[in-house]
Amino acid sequence: MSLRSVCLFLLVFVGVISAQSTPEQSAVATASSTAQSSSQSVSLPAGWEKRFQEAIVPENIRENMRRLSARPHHVGSPYDKDNAEWILAKFKEWGFDAKIETFNVLFPTPKERVVELLEPTKFRARMQEPALAIDPTSGQTAEQLPTYNAYSADGDVTAPLVYVNHGNREDYEQLDRLGISVKGAIVIARYGAGWRGIKPKVAGEHGAIGCIIYSDPKGDGFFHGDDYPSGGWRPRDGVQRGSVMDTEYPGDPLTPGVGATAGAKRLSVKDAATITKIPVLPLSYADALPLLSALKGPVAPENWRGALAITYHVGPGPAKVHLKVLSNWDIKPIYDVIGTLHGSDDGQWVIRGNHHDAWVNGADDPISGQAVMLEEARVLGELHRQGWTPKRTIIYCAWDGEEPGLLGSVEWVESHLDELQKHAVAYINSDSNGRGYFFPGGTQDLQTFISGVARDIQDPETHMSVFQRSHLASIAKAKDAEERTDLRKRNDLLVTAIGDGSDYTAFQDLAGISTLSVEFGDEDEGDQYHSIYDDFYWYTHFSDTDFFYGRALAQTAGTAMIRLADANLIPFDYSPQAEAIAKYETELEKLLKNKQDEFTERNLELREGVFAATADPHKPSVPPPAEVVPPYLNFAPMKNAIDLLKKSSDRYSKILSGWQAKGSPAIAPQSLDVVNADLLKIPRLFLNQKGLPERPWFKNQIYAPGAYTGYDAKPIAAVREYMDEKKWKEAEAQIPQVSQVIENVAAGINQAADDLERAVTGAR
Ligand SMILES: [Zn+2]
C-alpha cells in the first residue's frame, strides 16, 4: 500500500500533480489521485494524520526549548539528569510507557588547560567565553563546561608551531611540497572541512606532538555576517567545544561492542583505542590570532587563508607554544529516556530519537530537535487518548551523551541488539533544526517513502510543499548540467548516505536498521555551534524565531512515524537503493581512473622536469613523490551483484505497483505477515559479521563513515578506504565480500517479491 514502484515517467507526471496538492487534499487523497500519498490514504483513517499535523503547536516547542536549555546540561551535570527526569514525566503524562535506562561511561572533563606563546613574544590564551549582558544564560559560568576537546590525551608539550590549514591528509601533502615537516611540532588547524577528531589523528600520524583547533571567522564568524550579539555569527571569543574521539568505534571508549551497564567488563583508560594520541585544545580566534601572527616561514597557499587581517604563514616557528591538557577521567552516568506507545501488535517497532545532552545550554544543538520530538510525542499521546492505536509499536528515545561520542544511543543499541534486529522496522533521527530546506539522509529504501511525506507538508514561509522547495533547491545547488537534468527527471528527493554524525550510527552501521535523518536548515542567520552562546536568546533571535520550522519538522517526522507504524505493508522501496548503490560502485571506478590518470601525469611531469622548472628558485619547494600507477581492479563481481539487485528491486516494485493499480485489494493477514517478515530482514542483510577490515565495530558493508572524514559517509568503505590509502590489492580483495552482501540483499528482495506475488494473487 505505501510502497510503490519507481516508474520515472509516470511519476514525473504524478509528481507534478501531488506536489501542488495541499496537505488537506493529500490527507484525504485516494490511491488513484496520488501514488505518493497512498500509505495514509489507503491504510489510515484519513483523519488521524491530519489531526496530528494540525495539533502541533509552535508555542509548545518554544516552551520545551526554554525549559530544557535553561541551564547547562552536559553529561554528568545536575541539569542533564533534571532534564531526563522532566522528559520522563512528560512521556508518562502523555500516556507512554516510559523509563530511564542508565549507562556508566568514561567522560573526561578538564582539570588543567594551558596554551601559551613563549617566543618570540609572550601571550597566554584566555580560553573563556565572556558573559554578555543581553544574553541572560551566558553568565551561568559556574555550571558551564570549560572550552575543551573531550577525549584528548593528557599531555604537556612545548614546541614550534606549524599552521596546517584544516589538518586533513591532503593538507600534509601540501606541507610536504613546501618542504615542511610537523615532526616534533605543535600544529594549529582551523575548524571545518571534516570532523574535528580527524585533525589530531592525522597530526599525530605525521609526528606532531600537540594540536590546537581554532574557529577562523571565515568558517562561522564575521566573514558571513554580523557577529554576536548584533548578528548571529560566532564572536571573537566564541569557542567550539567538541569530542575528538577516534573513529575506530563510537560509544563508550571502555566498552566497545557491549552496553556500558554497571557490571560490564571495562578496558582500562590507557588501553582505550579511541582516546587521541596527542593533546588537543580548541581556541577562539581572539586567542589564536597572536599565535598565527607570530608565525613566519612560507606564506600559506591561497586556499589555506582565513578571514583574519593577517598574512597567513605556515611556520614552523619562530612561534613557540606551550600546550598542556590534564583531565579528570571519571565514569559518569548517562540517562536515556525511552518512551513506548504500544501498538496493537508489539512485534514490530518504529523508533524515533534525538539527544538531550548539550555541550552547554544547547538551544540549537540538540534542543531545537528535542523540543520538536517532544511535541510529536505529546500529540501522538493525545491521538491515542482520542482512540487511535498504532498498528506497530512506536518508541521515542531522548538520548544522553551524544556530544562526547554518541554514547547514549550506541550503548542502548549494543545492549538491545538482538531485540532490535528482531523487531525494528526503521529509526528516524534528528539532532537540531533551523530555518530552510529539508534534505533527508539515510538509507534509500526509505527514499520513496520520505519523499511522499515531504509532499504532504507545507513549507511555513513559502507555502509550497516541503518536497517542492527541496526539489527546486537541489536543482539550484546542482554542480553541473548533467546533475540538473537528472534532478529534473526525478519525482523523489535524493536521500544522501550518512556516516556517523549523530545517533543513527549504531542503528544503521552496527544493527543494520533502515534509517532516516530529518532536519531543516541552511537559512539560519548565524552559528554558535558548541559554545555558551548556543542558547535560548540566540536561537529565538537568529534561527527559527517563531518555531514554524519546528512545527514543519514535527509534522514531517511525526507523519513519517504514523505512516511507518500504520502501513499494512512496510513502505520500503528498493529501486532507489539499487540506484544509489550502483552509483557508489561507479564512483569507485571513477576514483580508480582519476588516480591512474593523476599518477601517470605526475610521473611524466617528474621525468620532464616540470616541477623543477616551475618552482620559484627564491621559495623552497619539493616536487611530489613519484607514485606507482594503480593497477586495474576487478569490479565485475560487484557489478554482477548490483545487476541482480536491480532485477530483484524492479521485480518487487512491479508486483507492488500492479497490485496498487488494482486499488490495493485487501491481502489476507497471514500472507501480509509473511511479506512484512521478509521486509524486516532485508536491511540486516547489509551486515557482514566481520565488519570493516580495519574497523570491525562497523558491520554495514554499504553505509559507513570514513575513517578520515568522520561525519560524511564513505559508501562501500571496505573497498574505498583501501583505495584512499593506495592499497590497491587490499581494496580488490574486499570486492568479493561486498558483492556477496549485495547478492544476499538481492536474494532477500526476491524472497519478498515471491511472497508478495503469492499474497496479491490471493488478494481480493
Ligand atoms: Zn547534536
Side-chain angles (χ1 to χ4, degrees):
M1 347 218 122
S2 39
L3 228 168
R4 59 176 183 82
S5 71
V6 170
C7 166
L8 263 177
F9 297 104
L10 171 70
L11 290 183
V12 168
F13 176 67
V14 173
V16 170
I17 296 168
S18 75
Q20 288 168 346
S21 65
T22 64
E24 285 81 348
Q25 287 167 333
S26 310
V28 294
T30 60
S32 61
S33 74
T34 153
Q36 285 71 24
S37 303
S38 59
S39 63
Q40 85 280 16
S41 58
V42 178
S43 65
L44 263 192
W48 292 117
E49 190 176 302
K50 185 161 177 260
R51 259 195 245 180
F52 173 85
Q53 291 168 5
E54 286 176 352
I56 299 291
V57 180
E59 192 55 31
N60 290 343
I61 302 173
R62 175 194 295 271
E63 284 313 307
N64 289 343
M65 177 180 287
R66 190 199 301 278
R67 145 78 219 189
L68 292 166
S69 67
R71 288 167 52 188
H73 53 104
H74 52 271
V75 166
S77 67
Y79 208 62
D80 176 75
K81 187 171 188 220
D82 199 84
N83 273 346
E85 283 163 356
W86 184 79
I87 294 167
L88 176 70
K90 287 290 164 189
F91 278 157
K92 287 182 173 167
E93 183 188 321
W94 298 329
F96 283 67
D97 175 8
K99 62 181 169 191
I100 288 181
E101 289 193 42
T102 305
F103 297 98
N104 300 299
V105 296
L106 181 69
F107 181 62
T109 53
K111 189 148 70 179
E112 208 182 332
R113 302 168 302 147
V114 178
V115 174
E116 54 186 347
L117 183 66
L118 304 176
E119 291 171 18
T121 50
K122 289 211 184 318
F123 166 78
R124 190 173 167 124
R126 289 176 58 225
M127 296 188 283
Q128 173 70 49
E129 301 176 286
L132 300 172
I134 202 170
D135 179 340
T137 62
S138 66
Q140 297 168 329
T141 346
E143 292 173 71
Q144 292 164 354
L145 268 180
T147 60
Y148 79 120
N149 289 125
Y151 304 108
S152 158
D154 285 349
D156 185 350
V157 292
T158 300
L161 190 67
V162 177
Y163 175 58
V164 296
N165 191 29
H166 290 114
N168 289 323
R169 287 195 288 192
E170 52 276 19
D171 295 320
Y172 288 88
E173 286 170 19
Q174 281 261 43
L175 283 175
D176 288 344
R177 297 288 322 273
L178 294 168
I180 292 170
S181 160
V182 300
K183 217 173 170 77
I186 294 173
V187 303
I188 182 165
R190 54 176 169 152
Y191 269 115
W195 187 55
R196 78 180 77 74
I198 305 302
K199 301 168 197 284
K201 178 186 171 90
V202 178
E205 286 170 0
H206 285 83
I209 58 170
C211 178
I212 295 166
I213 314 174
Y214 82 102
S215 296
D216 195 282
K218 199 167 185 181
D220 54 14
F222 62 70
F223 186 79
H224 298 270
D226 293 325
D227 60 11
Y228 196 58
S230 56
W233 297 94
R234 192 184 300 276
R236 62 193 310 275
D237 293 304
V239 182
Q240 182 187 141
R241 291 160 188 74
S243 172
V244 285
M245 186 186 270
D246 188 85
T247 49
E248 193 175 318
Y249 56 89
D252 176 29
L254 304 186
T255 59
V258 297
T261 50
K265 226 179 118 198
R266 285 180 166 71
L267 300 172
S268 67
V269 174
K270 68 169 176 27
D271 293 330
T274 55
I275 294 166
T276 65
K277 306 287 179 285
I278 60 175
V280 200
L281 274 176
L283 290 185
S284 68
Y285 75 77
D287 274 340
L289 186 57
L291 276 56
L292 292 165
S293 308
L295 284 172
K296 291 277 182 275
V299 172
E302 195 171 330
N303 59 359
W304 285 34
R305 300 170 201 165
L308 294 169
I310 55 167
T311 300
Y312 285 72
H313 288 269
V314 176
K320 191 175 178 190
V321 170
H322 174 213
L323 167 70
K324 183 173 182 187
V325 187
L326 272 184
S327 290
N328 304 297
W329 293 93
D330 297 328
I331 304 279
K332 291 276 167 72
I334 53 170
Y335 307 101
D336 289 343
V337 194
I338 311 292
T340 303
L341 193 61
H342 294 283
S344 48
D345 174 2
D346 249 339
Q348 293 185 352
W349 304 346
V350 183
I351 307 170
R352 170 87 172 94
N354 194 110
H355 68 101
H356 68 77
D357 68 301
W359 279 116
V360 196
N361 297 73
D364 178 38
D365 180 7
I367 299 304
S368 60
Q370 181 66 230
V372 162
M373 193 180 84
L374 293 179
E375 177 64 358
E376 291 165 38
R378 181 189 72 80
V379 177
L380 291 178
E382 184 58 37
L383 296 188
H384 185 51
R385 237 191 301 267
Q386 293 170 12
W388 170 74
T389 295
K391 207 173 307 222
R392 301 188 175 83
T393 289
I394 285 176
I395 305 177
Y396 269 68
C397 310
W399 308 117
D400 200 354
E402 190 270 354
E403 292 297 356
L406 319 177
L407 306 173
S409 56
V410 168
E411 300 311 317
W412 191 77
V413 171
E414 287 176 346
S415 298
H416 298 282
L417 189 59
D418 292 346
E419 311 159 69
L420 285 168
Q421 292 189 320
K422 206 164 143 208
H423 301 289
V425 171
Y427 172 72
I428 300 184
N429 191 74
S430 57
D431 193 318
S432 56
N433 194 54
R435 289 180 58 243
Y437 310 101
F438 176 66
F439 286 108
T443 53
Q444 294 87 2
D445 49 353
L446 289 167
Q447 182 164 304
T448 305
F449 169 76
I450 195 65
S451 301
V453 172
R455 273 174 218 283
D456 294 339
I457 310 297
Q458 194 184 53
D459 179 85
E461 295 187 5
T462 65
H463 306 298
M464 59 178 78
S465 75
V466 161
F467 174 93
Q468 195 175 7
R469 189 157 194 242
S470 291
H471 174 67
L472 295 175
S474 67
I475 291 172
K477 287 172 191 213
K479 63 174 193 308
D480 54 30
E482 192 189 343
E483 202 179 304
R484 280 189 293 276
T485 307
D486 175 59
L487 286 165
R488 288 191 174 107
K489 274 191 268 179
R490 301 199 74 88
N491 78 304
D492 55 359
L493 300 177
L494 289 174
V495 166
T496 49
I498 49 183
D500 67 352
S502 190
D503 291 308
Y504 45 74
T505 303
F507 289 89
Q508 176 188 271
D509 301 346
L510 176 71
I513 294 166
S514 294
T515 54
L516 280 173
S517 159
V518 292
E519 280 168 20
F520 288 82
D522 233 20
E523 290 185 329
D524 287 338
E525 285 153 33
D527 195 357
Q528 301 296 341
Y529 184 57
H530 294 181
S531 101
I532 65 166
Y533 310 119
D534 174 5
D535 60 16
F536 189 71
Y537 180 87
W538 176 86
Y539 193 88
T540 52
H541 284 81
F542 299 105
S543 185
D544 181 24
T545 55
D546 49 20
F547 293 86
F548 286 179
Y549 279 95
R551 177 176 57 197
L553 178 62
Q555 290 171 334
T556 307
T559 300
M561 290 297 290
I562 293 175
R563 288 187 190 178
L564 282 166
D566 275 345
N568 287 330
L569 193 61
I570 298 175
F572 289 145
D573 183 1
Y574 303 101
S575 298
Q577 193 164 35
E579 180 195 1
I581 293 170
K583 206 171 102 205
Y584 301 149
E585 189 280 331
T586 310
E587 284 167 7
L588 293 179
E589 290 192 68
K590 240 187 247 167
L591 179 67
L592 178 66
K593 169 92 172 60
N594 289 346
K595 284 289 162 202
Q596 288 171 330
D597 291 350
E598 181 193 334
F599 292 159
T600 304
E601 173 65 23
R602 181 195 292 185
N603 293 348
L604 181 61
E605 290 185 17
L606 282 167
R607 284 199 302 275
E608 290 169 333
V610 169
F611 296 99
T614 54
D616 180 342
H618 288 192
K619 293 178 185 159
S621 88
V622 179
E627 293 278 2
V628 176
V629 176
Y632 289 99
L633 304 183
N634 182 15
F635 288 103
M638 203 183 290
K639 294 168 86 142
N640 288 327
I642 290 169
D643 257 6
L644 292 176
L645 181 66
K646 281 183 176 161
K647 278 188 194 128
S648 62
S649 329
D650 289 346
R651 187 175 158 236
Y652 183 85
S653 294
K654 210 166 151 193
I655 298 164
L656 184 73
S657 61
W659 170 67
Q660 285 174 332
K662 283 193 243 156
S664 308
I667 297 175
Q670 314 88 285
S671 310
L672 198 59
D673 287 350
V674 171
V675 184
N676 278 330
D678 292 340
L679 298 177
L680 194 69
K681 280 185 220 142
I682 291 169
R684 288 2 145 219
L685 300 173
F686 284 83
L687 308 181
N688 168 338
Q689 284 317 311
K690 277 198 302 194
L692 297 182
E694 289 174 14
R695 291 178 292 160
W697 186 90
F698 293 89
K699 309 289 185 215
N700 198 311
Q701 296 297 309
I702 300 296
Y703 305 101
Y708 285 88
T709 52
Y711 290 153
D712 289 343
K714 277 259 163 142
I716 319 186
V719 179
R720 188 182 295 233
E721 296 256 280
Y722 278 134
M723 292 176 70
D724 288 344
E725 288 168 38
K726 296 177 263 190
K727 294 179 177 171
W728 311 107
K729 280 277 150 259
E730 288 88 340
E732 191 167 41
Q734 293 297 319
I735 292 175
Q737 306 192 39
V738 177
S739 309
Q740 184 59 56
V741 161
I742 298 172
E743 280 177 31
N744 296 346
V745 174
I749 296 171
N750 259 329
Q751 178 69 52
D754 287 347
D755 289 331
L756 182 64
E757 191 162 42
R758 215 165 295 139
V760 301
T761 318
R764 255 170 293 151

